[in-house]
């Protein structure tokens, strides 16, 4: 009887020790997978993100009740419209905000790459995000062409209501300070988390205007203006001439 008790105690100790070892050697597996897809056609499109955390029961604590911050760098040829994002924030459809001021009217040649943040709570073990994006025009070139915009992978950050991510020193490399969310000027500390991209880089080709077309259009416009002016001159001339004829 005492022998079996001894055995049970030993088994429990071994289990307990292995659990402790497990926690210390591999405290948290932040196994995160990201799908990034662009939708629609033309100059106005929609990027969606599907972010999936591990569903392993022992690892759920590492992201439960946390907020996910996604940082997307857009090339100079692509922008987000701050007014549009502001409207979407106000109706609680999307919490996204550009990092810097954006001039939506400039052509690509006069623009810089820009950064936008999207924030959302981690629900269950997934987060769906989206971002309305627009292509900038390029200055026209002879013969016209296509311009390529390449949109790389985002960066991911987590912000939890406690210090739990301090246990994840191996997985969580660094911290960043940026806005807590789009609706507040307050800044928060975010932990950068590793992830695996499940999709290829987004490639978005846009047509570039043709300066040859410009000359054709300009030439056509000039002809219309000249012919129209001559016609008007003729009418004015006839008008001036007519009353005299009546008087005679
Ligand atoms: C972008 O896609 C998401 C997810 O399908 C959708 O909820 C959202 O309304 C779309 N936005 C636009 C501007 O099409
Ligand atoms: C935004 O962040 C502020 C400051 O942390 C918080 O009070 C507010 O509830 C947050 N709003 C949303 C929509 O998450």
């Amino acid at each position: 009887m005492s022998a079996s008790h001894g055995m049970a105690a030993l088994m429990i100790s071994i289990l307990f020790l292995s659990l402790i070892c497990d926690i210390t050697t591999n405290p948290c597996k932040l196994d995160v997978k990201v799908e990034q897809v662009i939708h629609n056609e033309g100059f106005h499109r929609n990027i969606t993100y599907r972010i999936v955390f591990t569903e392993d029961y022992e690892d759920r604590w590492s992201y439960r009740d946390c907020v996910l911050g996604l940082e997307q760098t857009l090339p100079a040829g692509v922008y987000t419209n701050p007014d549009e994002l502001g409207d979407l924030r106000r109706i609680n459809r999307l919490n996204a905000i550009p990092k810097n001021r954006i001039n939506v009217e400039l052509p690509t040649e006069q623009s810089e790459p820009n950064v936008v943040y999207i924030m959302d709570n981690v629900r269950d073990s997934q987060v769906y995000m989206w971002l309305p994006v627009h292509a900038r025009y390029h200055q026209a070139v002879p013969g016209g062409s296509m311009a390529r915009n390449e949109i790389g992978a985002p960066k991911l950050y987590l912000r939890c209501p406690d210090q739990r991510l301090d246990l994840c020193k191996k997985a969580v490399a660094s911290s960043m300070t940026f806005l807590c969310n789009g609706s507040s000027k307050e800044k928060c500390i975010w932990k950068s988390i590793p992830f695996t991209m499940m999709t290829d880089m987004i490639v978005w080709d846009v047509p570039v205007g043709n300066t040859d077309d410009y000359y054709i259009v300009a030439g056509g416009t000039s002809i219309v203006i000249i012919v129209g002016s001559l016609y008007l001159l003729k009418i004015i001339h006839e008008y001036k001439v007519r009353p005299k004829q009546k008087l005679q």
Side-chain angles (χ1 to χ4, degrees), residues 6-27:
M7 269 308 270
L10 189 65
M11 289 293 279
I12 288 170
S13 315
I14 288 171
L15 262 177
F16 188 68
L17 273 175
S18 64
L19 195 69
I20 289 194
C21 279
D22 204 38
I23 285 174
T24 47
T25 54
N26 196 357

Side-chain angles (χ1 to χ4, degrees), residues 84 87 163 219 223:
E84 182 181 20
D87 289 343
Q163 307 298 316
I223 291 170

Side-chain angles (χ1 to χ4, degrees), residues 112-129:
E112 299 281 324
N114 54 97
V115 171
V116 57
Y117 296 113
I118 314 172
M119 294 90 163
D120 202 356
N121 301 320
V122 185
R123 281 181 214 89
D124 300 323
S125 60
Q126 305 203 353
V127 185
Y128 287 98
M129 289 176 161

Side-chain angles (χ1 to χ4, degrees), residues 134-175:
H134 311 277
R136 289 187 189 275
Y137 291 96
H138 286 252
Q139 270 153 12
V141 294
S145 71
M146 295 296 272
R148 174 153 290 190
N149 292 307
E150 291 180 334
I151 302 175
K155 287 183 184 153
L156 292 189
Y157 299 90
L158 262 190
R159 180 160 67 80
C160 300
D162 47 41
Q163 307 298 316
R164 75 182 76 162
L165 289 176
D166 291 351
L167 288 174
C168 307
K169 287 224 168 63
K170 250 191 216 164
V172 178
S174 59
S175 307

Side-chain angles (χ1 to χ4, degrees), residues 40 46 48 93 130 132:
N40 307 345
N46 191 0
T48 56
R93 276 209 58 203
W130 59 282

Side-chain angles (χ1 to χ4, degrees), residues 36-184:
Q36 180 195 37
V37 179
I38 194 159
H39 305 269
N40 307 345
E41 294 297 319
F43 275 71
H44 309 282
R45 299 203 181 182
N46 191 0
I47 303 178
T48 56
Y49 303 89
R50 181 164 172 260
I51 297 129
V52 184
F53 289 79
T54 171
E55 289 203 62
D56 284 355
Y57 185 76
E58 317 94 80
D59 293 314
R60 276 194 203 166
W61 63 271
S62 60
Y63 58 80
R64 267 188 61 185
D65 307 317
C66 297
V67 182
L68 184 76
L70 183 147
E71 179 189 300
Q72 177 69 65
T73 302
L74 297 171
V78 178
Y79 68 94
T80 55
N81 185 331
D83 295 333
E84 182 181 20
L85 296 187
D87 289 343
L88 290 166
R89 279 201 305 277
R90 271 185 288 282
I91 58 171
N92 286 323
R93 276 209 58 203
L94 178 67
N95 202 330
I97 188 160
K99 183 178 182 184
N100 303 110
R101 252 176 59 86
I102 289 177
N103 185 335
V104 302
E105 269 147 38
L106 291 181
T108 304
E109 289 76 9
Q110 292 167 34
S111 304
E112 299 281 324
N114 54 97
V115 171
V116 57
Y117 296 113
I118 314 172
M119 294 90 163
D120 202 356
N121 301 320
V122 185
R123 281 181 214 89
D124 300 323
S125 60
Q126 305 203 353
V127 185
Y128 287 98
M129 289 176 161
W130 59 282
L131 186 67
V133 287
H134 311 277
R136 289 187 189 275
Y137 291 96
H138 286 252
Q139 270 153 12
V141 294
S145 71
M146 295 296 272
R148 174 153 290 190
N149 292 307
E150 291 180 334
I151 302 175
K155 287 183 184 153
L156 292 189
Y157 299 90
L158 262 190
R159 180 160 67 80
C160 300
D162 47 41
Q163 307 298 316
R164 75 182 76 162
L165 289 176
D166 291 351
L167 288 174
C168 307
K169 287 224 168 63
K170 250 191 216 164
V172 178
S174 59
S175 307
M176 274 272 289
T177 304
F178 57 90
L179 290 174
C180 301
N181 59 50
S183 327
S184 148

